[in-house]
Amino acid sequence: MGRIFPMETPYIAQNKQVVDLKPWKNRHWINGLLIVIMILLFFVFSKWGLAS
């Protein structure tokens, strides 16, 4: 869209400090837990689990 109708002044993103952007303290544990849950759900609904 910008190549066809370019803006007169380029857009500049502004950080207004409304949302805290610090990384979570326990982000690695939560990500690992989500991956384990996803793998378990795959096996439950695969041919080795409930679908057999």
Side-chain angles (χ1 to χ4, degrees):
M1 212 49 206
R3 291 185 183 191
I4 299 171
F5 301 108
M7 298 177 67
E8 293 177 10
T9 58
Y11 175 76
I12 299 173
Q14 300 173 358
N15 187 0
K16 298 185 180 189
Q17 302 295 331
V18 176
V19 178
D20 185 17
L21 298 177
K22 291 187 299 187
W24 290 356
K25 178 182 174 184
N26 296 320
R27 66 188 180 273
H28 300 295
W29 291 107
I30 298 298
N31 287 335
L33 179 66
L34 290 174
I35 289 172
V36 168
I37 290 172
M38 183 177 63
I39 292 170
L40 287 174
L41 284 173
F42 173 78
F43 281 112
V44 166
F45 293 111
S46 69
K47 65 181 178 179
W48 299 291
L50 293 176
S52 60

